[in-house]
Every structure is written in C-alpha cells, then in structure tokens.
Amino acid sequence: MLLGWMISGALMYAIIPGLEFLPALVVAAGVTPTDPILASSVVGKGKFAQEHVPAHIRHLLQAESGSNDGAAFPFLVRPFLLVIGNSEGLTFESA
C-alpha cells in the first residue's frame, strides 16, 4: 500500500501542473486502492463466492479489508497535517 501511495503521489505531482508534492500525496491517499480487486469479488455477494468460498473465509477477508482501510488513515492524515502546517496564516477558530 505504501508503494502504491508513493507511485500515485508521484504521478499526480507529474501530471497536474502547479500541484506541490505534499498536496499530491493527500490526493493520492484518497485514490490509492487498499484492497485487491480479487478480494471484492470473493467477499461480495456473488453466486460463485457464496457457493465455493466458506463463510468464515469470506468473513476473514471482510475483516482484513476493514483493517486495510484503517491502515490507510495515516497516509491521508500525515501529509494533510504537513500541508496545513506549511500554510502561513491559517488558524483554527472555535465557533
């Protein structure tokens, strides 16, 4: 996942004119896949998966999928906070 995030960030940085690298990493964190496509077809409610893949395996894949999504959180938050920290004059005020 880390490699995919870095490659996506580098591609965004190279393709989008005027985009700095840290904002490119923020955007890349949103588009980098956390699960292989194969897992979605096995976990899904398809007829083949329900007939040939035991329920406990499908449930384990769902749990692993959720943990992958949770593991992606630092890849979004860290560059986002770095972008916020590098912005001058940006303050957070409570309402």
Side-chain angles (χ1 to χ4, degrees), residues 67-86:
S67 66
N68 276 349
D69 292 343
F73 184 72
F75 295 114
L76 176 62
V77 172
R78 182 160 297 179
F80 183 73
L81 291 176
L82 289 172
V83 168
I84 296 286
N86 288 339

Side-chain angles (χ1 to χ4, degrees), residues 24-38:
L25 288 177
V26 172
V27 175
V31 299
T32 302
T34 57
D35 294 326
I37 294 171
L38 177 63

Side-chain angles (χ1 to χ4, degrees), residues 38-55 58 62:
L38 177 63
S40 66
S41 64
V42 171
V43 172
K45 299 185 189 287
K47 181 180 174 183
F48 182 82
Q50 288 186 350
E51 289 179 9
H52 300 290
V53 179
R58 285 186 280 136
Q62 281 182 316

